[in-house]
Structure formats: C-alpha cells, structure tokens
Amino acid sequence: LSRELREAVYSGVASKAMSYNAILQLMGNVKWEIRELMSEPNSYVYVMLQEMEAMQQKISVVSTFVPIPVEVYQMIWTLSIRELCHVFLEGFGSARKCTHEGRAWMQLDFQQFIVQVNKFITIKPIPGKEVVENFIKAYYLTEADLEQWLRENYMSYSSKQLNSIINCTTAQFSKMMQRSRLSGIVDELIKRVDFDLIHPIN
C-alpha cells in the first residue's frame, strides 16, 4: 500500500483511539481569565495523558499477537498526536476571555503535553506542535502586529479560532472598533479562500 493510502486507513484508527470530544468538553470548562500564574497544568491534560497511556497499552497488547512494524506504530501515533493538537486548538480557540496569566497557563498545558509526547514518538518535528505554539503566541501580539499575523496565518486556523484571538487580544485594549475591523479582515480572508476553492485558477 502507498503511504497516502496507509495514512487514510490509520487516520480512522487514530480518530477513534482516544476520547477527543470528552477532552474538549473538559477544556471548555476552563476559565482562562485568571489573575495569577499557575504552576500546575489543567486537569484535562492529565486526562489526555491517561488516554495516551491507555492507547499505548492497547498497542502493546495487539503487538503480542500481531507484530506491528515500526513505520505503522509511528504513523498511528503521529496521526493521534495531530488529532490531540487539533483538540488543543479547538479548546484554546473557544476561549472568550483570556488574561496574560491565562495564556501562560495555555503554554504550561501544552508544554506538559509535548514532554509526554516525546515518550511515544521519535518523529521531529512533532505534528501539529508549531501550529498550536504559533496560535498561543498570537495572544501576546500588539494590535499593530495582530493584523499582519492574521494575514500571514489565516490559512492555518478556522474563523472561530482567529476571532477568539481577536476578541481576547483586543479586549485588553477595550477597542470595539479595532475588534470589528480585525474581524472584518478575517471574514474577507476566509471568503477569499472559499472563492478560490469554488473558482480555482487553471
């Protein structure tokens, strides 16, 4: 089988390997508008790590009956880690309010996740890692830099995720006009993508 076909097959395995929706629901309960720096990650991170351990145990059991090639093992984990990174994006992108301390908490959560990921895969770079880190860093941008970031990165994120950054970032400056303007830019960029998909250039 070609790599593309194998990836399509194992994507189905990865999509059911862990309780992604349950983890996302736990993330939805987190209040990111905190006013103090946290030293421990959120509880959903520990649930995520438990899911990863359980998946590893299942793979170990299967491998006692059917040898699993290293390439297959790495591919299943790569796709599963990518799914988890998508969960992080969806969870962080659902935040309506977020303080500087909340952003630091996001970083702590994701860093703890990455430390554990290195125990399961040797592939570098870790799939999805850069996209999530870039998303968190966007919360720290000044208003002047945020527009440029949106124009450069809108293809990597959903409209909901981009607008979450806009709402959380501009909220600290209390500028509704700026928020509306940036949201309008996102809408135009997304429409451009949709138009290009419907009317591809030959």
Side-chain angles (χ1 to χ4, degrees):
L1 294 177
S2 66
R3 179 177 177 83
E4 290 77 13
L5 184 55
R6 289 200 303 272
E7 185 168 329
V9 172
Y10 295 130
S11 289
V13 176
S15 66
K16 296 178 175 62
M18 302 183 212
S19 304
Y20 303 109
N21 288 335
I23 295 171
L24 191 55
Q25 288 178 356
L26 291 174
M27 292 187 73
N29 295 329
V30 178
K31 304 299 181 184
W32 300 108
E33 62 271 28
I34 57 174
R35 294 296 178 183
E36 61 179 308
L37 292 173
M38 308 301 288
S39 59
E40 293 291 332
N42 275 288
S43 60
Y44 75 83
V45 177
Y46 295 107
V47 174
M48 191 177 287
L49 301 183
Q50 289 171 359
E51 291 277 328
M52 292 167 65
E53 291 286 353
M55 176 176 162
Q56 177 62 23
Q57 291 176 3
K58 291 176 183 177
I59 292 176
S60 297
V61 170
V62 171
S63 64
T64 61
F65 298 97
V66 182
I68 299 177
V70 174
E71 182 183 0
V72 173
Y73 175 87
Q74 292 289 339
M75 182 174 291
I76 291 174
W77 268 111
T78 296
L79 295 170
S80 298
I81 297 304
R82 188 179 298 165
E83 287 278 353
L84 288 173
C85 284
H86 179 71
V87 170
F88 270 107
L89 278 180
E90 282 295 300
F92 293 159
S94 297
R96 295 185 178 182
K97 295 180 180 180
C98 185
T99 58
H100 286 296
E101 292 82 0
R103 291 158 202 156
W105 208 9
M106 288 180 178
Q107 286 184 311
L108 177 62
D109 287 352
F110 192 63
Q111 287 170 356
Q112 181 64 31
F113 166 73
I114 292 300
V115 168
Q116 299 302 317
V117 164
N118 287 318
K119 297 179 180 179
F120 299 104
I121 62 172
T122 58
I123 296 175
K124 297 293 185 292
I126 294 173
K129 176 176 180 286
E130 184 177 351
V131 177
V132 178
E133 290 180 334
N134 190 35
F135 184 83
I136 297 173
K137 290 176 182 177
Y139 282 109
Y140 292 94
L141 295 175
T142 63
E143 289 182 274
D145 294 328
L146 184 56
E147 179 178 343
Q148 184 63 29
W149 185 91
L150 292 170
R151 293 186 181 281
E152 292 175 352
N153 295 275
Y154 72 95
M155 293 285 287
S156 299
Y157 307 99
S158 68
S159 176
K160 172 187 172 183
Q161 292 161 0
L162 295 173
N163 277 296
S164 173
I165 292 176
I166 292 171
N167 291 333
C168 292
T169 304
T170 57
Q172 61 186 311
F173 301 107
S174 299
K175 293 183 179 180
M176 289 297 297
M177 290 294 291
Q178 177 73 340
R179 190 180 309 176
S180 297
R181 188 180 71 82
L182 291 174
S183 293
I185 290 174
V186 168
D187 290 341
E188 286 301 316
L189 292 171
I190 298 299
K191 287 179 182 177
R192 185 186 306 170
V193 173
D194 293 340
F195 181 86
D196 290 342
L197 290 174
I198 298 173
H199 305 282
I201 299 176
N202 297 322

